[in-house]
Amino acid sequence: MVSRPPRITDVSRSVRLVPSAVPAVTAALLLVLAPTACSGAADGGGAGGAVVQGTPGGSGVRDPYFPKAGNGGYDVTHYDLALAYDTGRQHLTGTAALTARATQDLSAFDLDLQGLDVEQVTVEGRRARWTRTGQELTVRPHDGLDRGRTFRVTVRYSGTPETITDADGSEEGWVRTDDGALALGEPTGSMSWFPGSHHPSDKASYDIAVTVPEGLQAVSNGELTSRKTSRGRTTFRWHTAEPMASYVATIAVGRYDISRSTTRDGLPVYVAVDPRRAEASRAVLAGLPGIMEWARDTFGPYPFSSTGAIVDRADDIGYALETQNRPVFPDAPDTETLVHEIAHQWYGDSVTPRTWRDMWLNEGFATYAEWLWQEDHGGDTAEEIFTALHRGDYYDSPEYNAAVWAFPPAVPPSAGRLSDSPVYERGAMVLHRIRQTVGDDTFRAILRGWAAAHRHGNADTADFTAYVRKKAPGKDFGTIWKDWLYGDGRPASG
């Protein structure tokens, strides 16, 4: 994710960004079984009142920032979403079928769903009892689910999906545009348009079918497998085979100029651009194949089966987002922003943080990718950028220069600070200190090896520091971890 401050006049170097905040995740709470909002009748109500074996899954996964993000007791392996959006009424109708594996004996489990009206829930084809408490949809299957069992839960729902305002004031969730909508998920916005386990530690494959009025497009992640128009409505079907965290799932509904191509090595490229942004976007998007080639050479094999971009006209969204396969931009992007979001496909989308506290592993890497791009394309070197940031004169604004040292990148003080400058710039500075310590060749091997070691998985800061020590066993990283990654204030430059 990236957002940019007002332009600063400085002819000596390119303007960097100061990202806006993105919330994170806190201590989990136990599942509350008492119904509070609405409930659904079950087929037989648990075998006519018989005791269902097992215990409830948790309504959260003990993330440091968001108390109820994700859910315990099961692991989702696949989402099959069938959605219909009426742009005139701004009304969404959905059926979400989740395939999951029980990680304990379950008598009940939770799904995250913000707003929307639940009409029916079934588990393995049998109607299940359910209750609502805030964002928690608690499901009580007719029979208990044994640990290790794969099961299917289907939720029918509808309503007007919500736009969620984060702790930092930015908007996510279902964001309306003048000709449709954008679904943006970081960190918890995806629960506004489909039920699930909305935490980055629970990744799954996806099939997403979206029906919209004829004349509009619906763009999502992965590959477009079919498009069919009937009775004034068009259904677009998208398939994502590789594991995906829910916060990088997206849907874009509107009018778009669509272009399809392939890179030199045959990777499909699918780009959707609002016609009002086509001219302003053309030159930068034409560079996408070259950016992909550079990124593959720098970070290793591309982890997904297609690439591309979505450029919309969303004036209220002040950030770009690394939605899997094709990042979303609320306006015409510049090259550095495109590089940043493409780098996230390796660092964030493929190697996904285990908790939101590990956000710097996303943003520090993507920011450092911008530095490497500049270095490799005639701009400032990473060393020059690092030195100017440390000296405190990289920006014309003293406020921006001071913001870099507000807190340690590995320990954001609150959910509302997750996308502040230390997570981005100081996170990138941690990587540069590693590069200074191990040398260019070993550092490049670390970049590629880290992406390969956790490809399509999850990792945290402890995993990363252990990996770096393993790749450079003769080097001392104690000062880097203590002062740069976890320390307060501006460390000494040496």
Side-chain angles (χ1 to χ4, degrees):
M1 175 175 176
V2 97
S3 63
R4 293 188 179 275
R7 291 290 181 181
I8 302 167
T9 303
D10 184 351
V11 296
S12 66
R13 56 179 173 265
S14 57
V15 177
R16 276 290 301 121
L17 59 113
V18 175
S20 61
V22 178
V25 207
T26 54
L29 302 178
L30 293 177
L31 178 65
V32 178
L33 292 179
T36 59
C38 50
S39 62
D43 179 13
V51 175
V52 176
Q53 298 300 313
T55 56
S59 59
V61 293
R62 298 188 182 276
D63 191 283
Y65 296 97
F66 298 113
K68 291 195 173 184
N71 297 289
Y74 65 92
D75 173 55
V76 182
T77 58
H78 185 72
Y79 289 90
D80 192 345
L81 307 179
L83 309 174
Y85 187 55
D86 184 328
T87 54
R89 294 193 301 137
Q90 299 174 355
H91 187 269
L92 182 70
T93 301
T95 300
L98 287 65
T99 303
R101 181 180 60 84
T103 57
Q104 66 180 63
D105 293 341
L106 283 173
S107 61
F109 58 90
D110 274 24
L111 300 171
D112 302 316
L113 182 64
Q114 178 74 31
L116 300 171
D117 299 318
V118 176
E119 297 161 9
Q120 186 183 84
V121 181
T122 63
V123 178
E124 291 294 275
R126 301 191 70 173
R127 293 184 66 184
R129 293 186 182 275
W130 53 268
T131 56
R132 300 288 298 275
T133 305
Q135 71 182 51
E136 300 300 317
L137 169 62
T138 303
V139 178
R140 300 180 187 83
H142 184 275
D143 301 305
L145 300 169
D146 295 336
R147 178 179 179 180
R149 177 179 175 180
T150 296
F151 64 95
R152 185 177 175 92
V153 54
T154 302
V155 181
R156 288 173 46 198
Y157 59 99
S158 63
T160 301
E162 296 182 9
T163 300
I164 296 172
T165 300
D166 290 333
D168 69 333
S170 61
E171 293 185 344
E172 59 175 282
W174 195 268
V175 181
R176 289 184 288 276
T177 61
D178 61 1
D179 62 353
L182 271 176
L184 302 173
E186 187 175 293
T188 61
S190 49
M191 68 180 177
S192 72
W193 55 282
F194 69 96
S197 184
H198 293 289
H199 185 266
S201 62
D202 196 351
K203 301 167 72 171
S205 58
Y206 282 71
D207 282 292
I208 301 177
V210 189
T211 301
V212 296
E214 185 177 1
L216 299 182
Q217 283 89 27
V219 184
S220 188
N221 312 88
E223 281 66 64
L224 180 64
T225 60
S226 70
R227 169 179 175 167
K228 182 178 180 181
T229 299
S230 177
R231 298 181 179 180
R233 307 279 285 174
T234 304
T235 300
F236 298 80
R237 298 184 182 276
W238 294 86
H239 175 66
T240 302
E242 299 89 358
M244 179 167 68
S246 61
Y247 81 91
V248 289
T250 192
I251 292 175
V253 175
R255 293 178 177 84
Y256 301 103
D257 291 340
I258 305 295
S259 64
R260 299 177 179 85
S261 60
T262 58
T263 61
R264 290 200 301 179
D265 56 357
L267 183 71
V269 180
Y270 188 101
V271 175
V273 181
D274 185 296
R276 295 163 293 184
R277 295 292 181 262
E279 183 60 32
S281 302
R282 185 170 291 112
V284 170
L285 293 179
L288 178 59
I291 291 172
M292 289 298 302
E293 185 172 348
W294 171 84
R296 182 200 61 205
D297 292 343
T298 305
F299 309 132
Y302 181 63
F304 302 116
S305 53
S306 66
T307 188
I310 300 169
V311 179
D312 212 324
R313 185 173 179 266
D315 297 333
D316 293 335
I317 302 300
Y319 58 88
L321 186 63
E322 60 269 22
T323 44
Q324 193 158 300
N325 299 92
R326 52 192 53 84
V328 169
F329 303 91
D331 205 336
D334 59 27
T335 296
E336 286 187 11
T337 304
L338 183 56
V339 168
H340 184 106
E341 303 306 335
I342 291 298
H344 271 311
Q345 304 303 304
W346 283 261
Y347 309 110
D349 293 10
S350 177
V351 184
T352 303
R354 199 179 308 280
T355 76
W356 285 107
R357 178 173 286 166
D358 306 300
M359 180 79 158
W360 83 274
L361 289 172
N362 290 15
E363 303 302 348
F365 272 84
T367 299
Y368 201 75
E370 295 183 59
W371 299 7
L372 291 174
W373 173 267
Q374 293 179 59
E375 183 175 289
D376 291 346
H377 294 82
D380 291 345
T381 66
E383 178 70 20
E384 289 170 334
I385 297 170
F386 174 91
T387 299
L389 283 167
H390 187 267
R391 193 169 55 226
D393 62 1
Y394 187 68
Y395 298 106
D396 285 349
S397 165
E399 178 185 356
Y400 292 158
N401 288 317
V404 175
W405 312 108
F407 57 83
V411 195
S414 68
R417 307 293 297 278
L418 272 182
S419 282
D420 282 9
S421 180
V423 176
Y424 287 65
E425 275 79 11
R426 190 166 167 182
M429 294 176 85
V430 170
L431 297 179
H432 192 70
R433 288 291 289 119
I434 295 170
R435 179 182 177 183
Q436 290 174 328
T437 301
V438 303
D440 284 359
D441 290 345
T442 300
F443 180 72
R444 296 281 180 159
I446 288 172
L447 287 180
R448 295 171 64 90
W450 174 249
H454 296 278
R455 182 181 174 96
H456 299 315
N458 294 89
D460 59 23
T461 300
D463 294 324
F464 178 71
T465 57
Y467 182 81
V468 171
R469 288 194 300 267
K470 179 180 177 182
K471 298 299 287 186
K475 301 296 184 179
D476 182 4
F477 298 99
T479 299
I480 298 176
W481 308 150
K482 175 177 174 291
D483 295 342
W484 288 88
L485 190 55
Y486 288 102
D488 292 320
R490 181 170 59 181
S493 59

